[in-house]
């Protein structure tokens, strides 16, 4: 007798370039329609003994091309400290009924003139990524959230943050 899992094996995609759906998710457009999406940004502490998670939304993530991801972080955050030291992080999220885990190598981006947000910007190259799903069960969501009263101000801030990430990423390519 076989069970459902043995008849329907894990579907796995390994990639070093963003597949279409995540690329569209991180393209920096239509942020209001993507509100609620949350990714787990995983780093390790200075001793590599503990994994730490930061939760990021679409207003803090921008993919300027098929192989990179820019992030905006508070400079005093643990994640920013790790990226400044080792540059290594992983991003996990759910998109189109699949679980994604992407390993990235980051470096700091130069400050953008006129950016008063106080955020630190980093650009990461995809080392390797995986998407997994099983045909007998659908992932219907990951970690999600709703904006409370004042959500319009958050969306405005996100638009500015993404614009600064775009400018920083463009400047890094010159």
């Amino acid at each position: 007798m076989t069970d459902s899992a043995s008849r329907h094996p894990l579907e796995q995609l390994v990639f070093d370039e963003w597949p279409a759906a995540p690329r569209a998710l991180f393209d920096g457009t239509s942020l209001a329609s993507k509100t609620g999406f949350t990714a787990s940004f995983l780093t390790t502490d200075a001793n590599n003994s503990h994994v730490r998670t930061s939760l990021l939304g679409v207003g803090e993530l921008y993919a300027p091309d098929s192989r990179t991801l820019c992030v905006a972080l508070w400079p005093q955050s643990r994640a920013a400290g790790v990226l400044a030291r080792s540059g290594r992080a992983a991003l996990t999220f759910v998109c189109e009924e699949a679980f994604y885990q992407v390993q990235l190598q980051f470096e700091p981006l130069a400050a953008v003139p006129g950016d008063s947000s106080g955020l630190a910007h980093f650009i990461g190259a995809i080392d390797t990524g995986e998407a997994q799903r099983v045909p007998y069960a659908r992932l219907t969501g990951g970690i999600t959230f709703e904006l409370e009263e004042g959500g319009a101000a958050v969306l405005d801030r996100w638009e500015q943050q993404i614009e600064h990430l775009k400018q920083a990423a463009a400047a890094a390519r010159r």
Side-chain angles (χ1 to χ4, degrees):
M1 180 183 259
T2 61
D3 64 10
S4 174
S6 64
R7 288 190 314 254
H8 302 285
L10 174 73
E11 296 173 20
Q12 187 171 16
L13 168 69
V14 177
F15 59 90
D16 62 2
E17 290 189 33
W18 290 114
R23 176 87 190 270
L25 186 60
F26 304 136
D27 69 2
T29 66
S30 305
L31 298 180
S33 69
K34 299 170 185 174
T35 299
F37 169 84
T38 307
S40 294
F41 192 67
L42 306 161
T43 57
T44 58
D45 63 14
N47 300 326
N48 290 328
S49 58
H50 292 92
V51 174
R52 305 292 185 190
T53 302
S54 300
L55 300 178
L56 302 178
V58 292
E60 295 141 335
L61 302 164
Y62 169 62
D65 61 46
S66 65
R67 294 183 180 267
T68 59
L69 181 72
C70 298
V71 297
L73 302 169
W74 292 109
Q76 68 275 21
S77 69
R78 289 185 297 215
V82 169
L83 294 189
R85 283 191 309 277
S86 75
R88 301 286 313 156
L91 188 75
T92 64
F93 56 94
V94 172
C95 179
E96 290 198 330
E97 301 176 355
F99 174 76
Y100 285 81
Q101 181 169 309
V102 185
Q103 304 290 327
L104 300 122
Q105 180 67 45
F106 285 90
E107 59 185 52
L109 283 169
V112 175
D115 177 6
S116 61
S117 69
L119 296 173
H121 301 133
F122 297 88
I123 189 167
I126 296 175
D127 180 25
T128 186
E130 294 181 3
Q132 301 176 358
R133 74 178 82 212
V134 291
Y136 57 87
R138 293 182 315 116
L139 286 176
T140 58
I143 301 168
T144 60
F145 68 93
E146 293 179 4
L147 290 175
E148 298 293 328
E149 190 173 321
V154 173
L155 285 172
D156 288 344
R157 186 186 61 191
W158 282 1
E159 294 284 348
Q160 291 174 3
Q161 288 173 191
I162 292 298
E163 186 56 36
H164 293 144
L165 284 174
K166 288 178 179 179
Q167 291 172 18
R173 291 193 160 83
R174 289 187 195 130

